[in-house]
Amino acid sequence: MLKKLTRDEIILWVSFALFTIQCAYLLFWYLPDSLPDKVSSGVWTSLANDFSHGIFYRPLNSDIGYGGTRYMPLFFVLHGFLIPLFKDPFSAGVFLTLGSAFFMCLGILFALREWGLSWSKAIPFAGAVQCTITFMMQVLTVRGDFLSAGLVVWALVFFHKYFKTKVALYFFLSSLILAFAVLTKITSLYAVAVGGCALVLANRLREGILWVLSSTLMTALFLFSANAFSDGKMLVSFAACATGGMDGMGILLSPYHFLIEILRDPVFAVFLGFAAIVFFVRFRESWRQLHFIYFIVVIGATLVIFSSPGTSDNHMIDLQVAVFLLLGVEFSKNYGLIKQVGTIMILVCIYIGLSRLPFVPSIQKFFETNGKPTRETVQYFYEKYGEKAYPVYSIYTEFSIVPGKTPYIGDLFNLNILMENNPDVKNDLHQKISSQFFGSVVLSNYPNLFKQDFDSKDDVGLQEAKEKFHNHQMQKEFYWYQKNPVYSLIRQHYEITAVKRPFVFLSPKKGTD
């Protein structure tokens, strides 16, 4: 078989093999003794944990804690069903996230096949997405972005079949799968525009309108049913938090935020830059084709998403799918410029090799410097502070879920957004902090403000570094939560008593309640 491969295909396959080995190595290095990375992992897991205990979206404020979230239900419902099988919420979430990533890559593969690529080209292009820093960081988390992106690309597979054949079954399946994608992540609605534009630009206006209507109505039916199942709490939660803190300034700054996030992943930045060049060079010949329409609509949707201050690298997943689809389809056309994608693959392989050197940045070095969230850390926390540490005020829900408790705050970021329009919730939270209702506060040490762990508040090194930590928290809060600052209140009633990176632990001050 290797003799039949062209030079360019051999480069693709060698690169694909190295990318797969790199990603697998990272997973085997990180997962065995660690909890999922990113605060959003805890939010998704908290929602799934609630669902596994019969709670489908919390009230905004109740005896079990605060509600309010922007997350759609499909992923965390699937996660909740898996929890009894795994006997552990985080293990179930990791399994579902990795399965979703594979499902997405499989979707890219069949999309490329649908667009005419041979297996020898489609397989390495579908697997190339795992070489990006964003992809590798996201497989270490628990979140629904891979599932939503995968559902969108599978919807496009069946849409393209309908586009070619006009078979009604493909029309229905593409609309149905897209509705499931939106039920996983609301921003997947952008894909409705992709299909509609493709049909309109092909002078099939009536079909385009019907497809948009059918997809929208099916999505609305799913959302209505989910909201009814939650006794109306889902819509209340979205109404309170759906904007994600977006405002006029955020809209103006979205291109800047988008660019900064791109530059944090130089591997993907190179592929995106090359895809943009190909897009402009081939625009006249290909602008009506589905992979081009998908690419430009995703860029537009991503820019809008980055208007929210809470937006992070997970929102690049759809764009990465669009980039590798565009490059793969154009590669099959075998013209001069596109063959340079092989050169990019070689450069990425060289970077992967150089990343083993001590002075070249890598994901592994990042965690070695800043620390990983581990079950051992949660165990240390309860051995040190005991049951009185609960309930925990933190964006890290693992400090409640791992020992089998329910997080009182399931989504701290959205709680801050909720307080903007709900003064009762704001006053209630402030009262709880002032009365030291929370047995402890757990904060992030990022970016490695404490250079070592400390077991006592009296340690000299802790005393020297804590002012720097306090100042950083105040600055971070001003950027993220300037409308509802609470850290100054926390500082009045709680004090740093230990550091076990990547976490900083605070306990109630004596004599202030």
Side-chain angles (χ1 to χ4, degrees):
M1 180 181 177
L2 287 176
K3 292 181 180 179
K4 297 179 181 179
L5 295 177
T6 66
R7 172 184 173 276
D8 293 325
E9 288 172 340
I10 292 173
I11 291 173
L12 289 178
W13 275 94
V14 171
S15 301
F16 165 61
L18 184 58
F19 299 159
T20 303
I21 292 169
Q22 165 79 353
C23 194
Y25 169 81
L26 180 65
L27 287 170
F28 282 110
W29 172 81
Y30 182 92
L31 288 177
D33 62 342
S34 302
L35 291 165
D37 186 40
K38 306 281 188 182
V39 295
S40 54
S41 296
V43 177
W44 282 106
T45 306
S46 178
L47 290 164
N49 192 57
D50 281 353
F51 182 79
S52 71
H53 289 90
I55 302 169
F56 185 51
Y57 289 100
R58 296 181 180 187
L60 297 183
N61 191 3
S62 66
D63 293 340
I64 61 172
Y66 297 110
T69 187
R70 294 176 291 163
Y71 291 169
M72 299 294 281
L74 183 58
F75 181 85
F76 75 74
V77 166
L78 294 173
H79 185 177
F81 280 123
L82 288 173
I83 288 174
L85 298 176
F86 283 82
K87 310 298 183 184
D88 172 64
F90 285 104
S91 297
V94 168
F95 175 82
L96 182 58
T97 300
L98 293 178
S100 299
F102 179 76
F103 173 74
M104 184 190 80
C105 292
L106 204 62
I108 299 172
L109 171 62
F110 278 87
L112 291 171
R113 288 286 296 151
E114 178 64 24
W115 267 289
L117 269 73
S118 64
W119 288 106
S120 62
K121 292 184 178 73
I123 291 174
F125 262 108
V129 68
Q130 66 189 317
C131 75
T132 69
I133 295 170
T134 299
F135 182 96
M136 288 190 286
M137 289 295 287
Q138 297 312 309
V139 294
L140 306 180
T141 69
V142 171
R143 65 192 329 148
D145 299 86
F146 286 125
L147 181 59
S148 63
L151 287 166
V152 167
V153 76
W154 276 105
L156 292 178
V157 169
F158 286 101
F159 175 84
H160 194 261
K161 288 180 181 293
Y162 168 74
F163 191 87
K164 294 187 303 181
T165 64
K166 296 189 177 183
V167 174
L169 176 62
Y170 295 144
F171 183 99
F172 171 77
L173 287 174
S174 62
S175 297
L176 177 66
I177 295 171
L178 178 55
F180 279 124
V182 178
L183 203 62
T184 307
K185 186 177 179 182
I186 190 67
T187 52
S188 298
L189 274 168
Y190 74 82
V192 175
V194 175
C197 288
L199 288 167
V200 169
L201 291 174
N203 297 317
R204 295 160 66 174
L205 177 61
R206 180 175 173 274
E207 293 173 69
I209 293 173
L210 284 175
W211 193 83
V212 169
L213 287 175
S214 68
S215 300
T216 304
L217 289 173
M218 200 171 297
T219 299
L221 177 63
F222 281 7
L223 294 177
F224 176 83
S225 301
N227 186 59
F229 186 68
S230 73
D231 294 325
K233 295 192 294 292
M234 186 180 87
L235 185 58
V236 171
S237 182
F238 290 169
C241 305
T243 62
M246 185 185 300
D247 55 22
M249 183 57 69
I251 294 172
L252 291 174
L253 292 175
S254 65
Y256 169 77
H257 291 153
F258 175 80
L259 178 61
I260 292 299
E261 203 60 56
I262 289 291
L263 294 177
R264 288 176 178 166
D265 186 346
V267 174
F268 176 56
V270 173
F271 281 108
L272 177 60
F274 185 65
I277 294 171
V278 171
F279 177 84
F280 286 111
V281 169
R282 297 282 295 173
F283 184 79
R284 182 173 296 180
E285 295 86 354
S286 304
W287 67 280
R288 293 187 179 189
Q289 295 182 19
L290 188 59
H291 64 294
F292 263 54
I293 297 170
Y294 180 44
F295 178 75
I296 193 64
V297 170
V298 172
I299 287 181
T302 306
L303 282 169
V304 173
I305 291 168
F306 271 84
S307 301
S308 168
T311 308
S312 187
D313 54 349
N314 58 297
H315 292 286
M316 289 292 178
I317 296 295
D318 290 82
L319 183 54
Q320 295 192 6
V321 173
V323 164
F324 284 100
L325 276 178
L326 184 144
L327 292 177
V329 174
E330 291 299 308
F331 186 82
S332 67
K333 298 176 182 179
N334 200 34
Y335 53 88
L337 174 63
I338 194 63
K339 288 188 176 183
Q340 297 306 313
V341 75
T343 303
I344 297 175
M345 297 280 192
I346 292 172
L347 291 174
V348 174
C349 289
I350 292 172
Y351 170 74
I352 290 173
L354 291 175
S355 69
R356 309 309 302 168
L357 298 175
F359 54 86
V360 179
S362 70
I363 295 174
Q364 183 175 342
K365 295 186 188 75
F366 170 83
F367 285 112
E368 288 172 345
T369 299
N370 294 283
K372 299 187 292 181
T374 65
R375 295 178 190 275
E376 179 188 359
T377 303
V378 178
Q379 182 181 352
Y380 164 86
F381 175 76
Y382 280 98
E383 287 177 352
K384 182 174 180 61
Y385 298 105
E387 292 299 313
K388 65 181 181 180
Y390 181 82
V392 183
Y393 178 96
S394 182
I395 202 166
Y396 299 102
T397 64
E398 54 261 45
F399 286 91
S400 300
I401 294 174
V402 168
K405 305 177 187 296
T406 299
Y408 198 85
I409 301 174
D411 190 338
L412 184 57
F413 176 80
N414 281 304
L415 174 59
N416 281 275
I417 296 171
L418 170 63
M419 289 192 293
E420 291 182 15
N421 300 312
N422 198 318
D424 290 339
V425 172
K426 179 177 180 179
N427 293 335
D428 183 71
L429 178 63
H430 285 196
Q431 188 276 328
K432 282 183 166 62
I433 294 172
S434 299
S435 65
Q436 298 180 339
F437 169 83
F438 298 102
S440 60
V441 175
V442 179
L443 301 174
S444 170
N445 184 48
Y446 184 81
N448 202 28
L449 297 166
F450 291 101
K451 304 299 182 184
Q452 64 185 81
D453 295 344
F454 297 100
D455 195 51
S456 170
K457 66 178 182 179
D458 298 321
D459 288 345
V460 175
L462 188 148
Q463 293 298 322
E464 292 175 350
K466 72 177 183 179
E467 284 306 316
K468 181 180 178 182
F469 176 82
H470 287 317
N471 291 335
H472 177 76
Q473 290 297 317
M474 297 293 286
Q475 292 170 7
K476 183 169 69 172
E477 185 174 66
F478 178 78
Y479 177 76
W480 291 106
Y481 312 124
Q482 54 185 295
K483 296 179 182 178
N484 297 291
V486 295
Y487 186 71
S488 57
L489 191 62
I490 289 173
R491 191 175 176 184
Q492 289 178 36
H493 299 280
Y494 294 82
E495 59 182 340
I496 300 173
T497 52
V499 175
K500 191 167 180 62
R501 297 175 301 161
F503 303 111
V504 178
F505 303 136
L506 290 78
S507 301
K509 289 182 178 179
K510 295 180 180 179
T512 62
D513 54 346

